[in-house]
Amino acid sequence: MRTWYKVLFLSLLTLVLVACQGEEAEQKEDANSESGEDLKKVQLFLDWTPNTNHSGIYAAKDQGYFEEEGLDLEIMLPGEVPTEQIVATGKAEFGISFQTQVTQARAENMPVVSIVAIIQQHTGGYYTPTDKGIKTPKDFEGRVYGAYGSELEKSMLQAVMKSEGGDASKVDVVQVGNTDYFIATQRDVDFVNIFYAWTGIEGEVRGADMNFIKTIDYAPELNTYSPVIITNEEMIEQDPETVQAFVTAVLKGYEYAIENPEETADILIAEEPDLNPELVKRSQEWLSPLYQEDAPVWGTQEEKRWVDYAKFMYDENIIEVEVDASAAFTNQFIENAKK
């Protein structure tokens, strides 16, 4: 009898151990699933150093929105190859671009498509030390402009100056590339072109005494979507489910950033500790209300603005062919995400 009890006890113990091992294996499988083994890997190439333009993407990643949609997103820093080219050739599924670059790319037969607008209104403009005495675009005449080096810049400068009766041919244009703007404008450059959400706020943090001339105050036709998120036509045609999942997650991320600027700044700082925390926090506070602004839904784009800007680039001989603006962007994924 005693032997029989021993056998029964050992049998029950074995069953318990097997059950525990099975439960442990199941938990491990679930953990592997949650860690990304069952998620679809996709890449997004940034346009520049991580900054508050990108905050909604980092927020979506931090909050698990991509995982909820079945995606494992890898955020890639830009390199020597333009993001538009990387996305157009399918080397990455998504990228950060601008309406200007997308229009240029479409004119060169690159099949990139803007799927959301990150910011509704163009926040760029011309930045100059106050002691230079430049108050309006007319004052650019006879001054030195620190440019990136594109022909488009000259056309944009003329569009801004003509509203004040100015002549861009009287501006001395020099290339400054990625030079520190604050150092450049204290030397031989009188004004530069910036995005206020980052460089303008950086000036505030530095205590620089600067004057900002907003582009669209003088040239509404230059109110481009800057920046946008792009994919390519093949992704839209052959894998719309992945594009939809990505846009749905990103929408949630930017809605989070709109509602929670302080927390979103902390997320970006944690992911990119080399950034100036004060700059990130002040920039995020300034930018969060502008992501959606007066748009019915964050990310939506107006066809008229794409048409008008494509015409501007064609009329200014920046592009050699007319671009079908309706094919350069789509609202279908952002609309589906809100259904």
Side-chain angles (χ1 to χ4, degrees), residues 13-25:
L13 181 61
T14 300
L15 288 173
V16 170
L17 289 173
V18 169
C20 288
Q21 289 175 348
E23 184 177 353
E24 183 179 349

Side-chain angles (χ1 to χ4, degrees), residues 11 16 96 128 131 167 186 204 207 230 242 252 255 263-264 305 321 335:
S11 298
V16 170
I96 306 292
T128 175
D131 60 14
D167 183 357
Q186 293 300 324
E204 293 181 7
I230 59 173
T242 296
K252 293 178 183 177
E255 288 181 333
E263 292 84 351
T264 302
R305 286 168 63 180
V321 298
E335 290 172 353

Side-chain angles (χ1 to χ4, degrees), residues 5 23 30 48 56 68 75 101 106 112 197 207 209 233 239 249 277 304 334-335 337:
Y5 277 122
E23 184 177 353
D30 290 342
W48 196 46
E68 289 176 6
I75 299 174
Q101 278 94 325
R106 299 286 306 186
V112 293
D209 189 7
E233 291 179 352
D239 195 2
K304 184 179 186 303
I334 203 70
E335 290 172 353

Side-chain angles (χ1 to χ4, degrees), residues 46-287:
L46 300 183
D47 57 308
W48 196 46
T49 303
N51 59 78
T52 48
N53 280 350
H54 314 133
S55 292
I57 298 163
Y58 282 88
K61 193 172 176 66
D62 178 80
Q63 296 296 303
Y65 298 147
F66 289 109
E67 287 84 351
E68 289 176 6
E69 298 299 326
L71 301 179
D72 178 12
L73 176 69
E74 183 179 11
I75 299 174
M76 307 292 292
L77 297 179
E80 295 182 1
V81 180
T83 297
E84 296 76 28
Q85 185 175 332
I86 293 172
V87 174
T89 56
K91 302 298 183 183
E93 292 82 1
F94 306 99
I96 306 292
S97 184
F98 298 82
Q99 184 177 342
T100 52
Q101 278 94 325
V102 172
T103 304
Q104 181 81 54
R106 299 286 306 186
E108 297 172 1
N109 293 317
M110 292 188 193
V112 293
V113 181
S114 172
I115 50 177
V116 296
I118 291 178
I119 304 172
Q120 278 299 307
Q121 307 295 326
H122 184 71
T123 64
Y126 298 95
Y127 207 46
T128 175
T130 303
D131 60 14
K132 299 280 187 180
I134 298 175
K135 297 180 179 179
T136 74
K138 181 71 168 63
D139 297 328
F140 293 159
E141 290 184 355
R143 301 305 183 102
V144 179
Y145 170 53
Y148 300 107
S150 71
E151 287 298 315
L152 177 59
E153 284 184 274
K154 297 178 181 178
S155 296
M156 294 174 65
L157 186 60
Q158 178 56 43
V160 170
M161 292 182 68
K162 72 179 181 181
S163 65
E164 294 281 296
D167 183 357
S169 68
K170 297 180 180 179
V171 176
D172 185 11
V173 179
V174 298
Q175 294 187 29
V176 295
N178 293 322
T179 303
D180 185 303
Y181 292 151
F182 300 96
I183 294 176
T185 53
Q186 293 300 324
R187 293 179 178 174
D188 52 358
V189 171
D190 294 313
F191 66 104
V192 293
N193 190 278
I194 67 162
F195 285 101
Y196 196 86
W198 192 253
T199 307
I201 300 300
E202 182 182 2
E204 293 181 7
V205 171
R206 289 192 183 195
D209 189 7
M210 308 289 285
N211 184 33
F212 179 66
I213 298 173
K214 193 174 182 180
T215 298
I216 62 175
D217 286 347
Y218 296 90
E221 66 272 25
L222 301 182
N223 190 16
T224 57
Y225 292 109
S226 305
V228 298
I229 300 180
I230 59 173
T231 189
N232 63 54
E233 291 179 352
E234 185 175 348
M235 275 289 294
I236 291 175
E237 293 171 3
Q238 297 187 9
D239 195 2
E241 295 82 9
T242 296
V243 180
Q244 185 63 66
F246 176 85
V247 170
T248 300
V250 170
L251 169 62
K252 293 178 183 177
Y254 278 95
E255 288 181 333
Y256 179 91
I258 291 168
E259 296 296 326
N260 306 281
E262 185 175 347
E263 292 84 351
T264 302
D266 290 337
I267 290 170
L268 182 57
I269 293 167
E271 287 296 320
E272 302 293 339
D274 289 339
L275 296 176
N276 181 330
E278 183 181 1
L279 169 57
V280 173
K281 291 179 180 181
R282 289 176 63 169
S283 173
Q284 193 66 61
E285 182 181 2
W286 188 88
L287 188 57

Side-chain angles (χ1 to χ4, degrees), residues 265-336:
D266 290 337
I267 290 170
L268 182 57
I269 293 167
E271 287 296 320
E272 302 293 339
D274 289 339
L275 296 176
N276 181 330
E278 183 181 1
L279 169 57
V280 173
K281 291 179 180 181
R282 289 176 63 169
S283 173
Q284 193 66 61
E285 182 181 2
W286 188 88
L287 188 57
S288 285
L290 303 181
Y291 286 134
Q292 181 174 339
E293 209 162 357
D294 58 351
V297 178
W298 173 85
T300 55
Q301 304 165 78
E302 295 179 1
E303 183 172 350
K304 184 179 186 303
R305 286 168 63 180
W306 281 89
V307 171
D308 290 348
Y309 193 72
K311 183 178 185 303
F312 170 80
M313 292 186 73
Y314 181 74
D315 291 345
E316 291 292 322
N317 298 313
I318 304 302
I319 55 177
E320 298 179 354
V321 298
E322 294 184 346
V323 169
D324 179 4
S326 65
F329 81 100
T330 179
N331 284 323
Q332 72 177 90
F333 298 104
I334 203 70
E335 290 172 353
N336 289 339

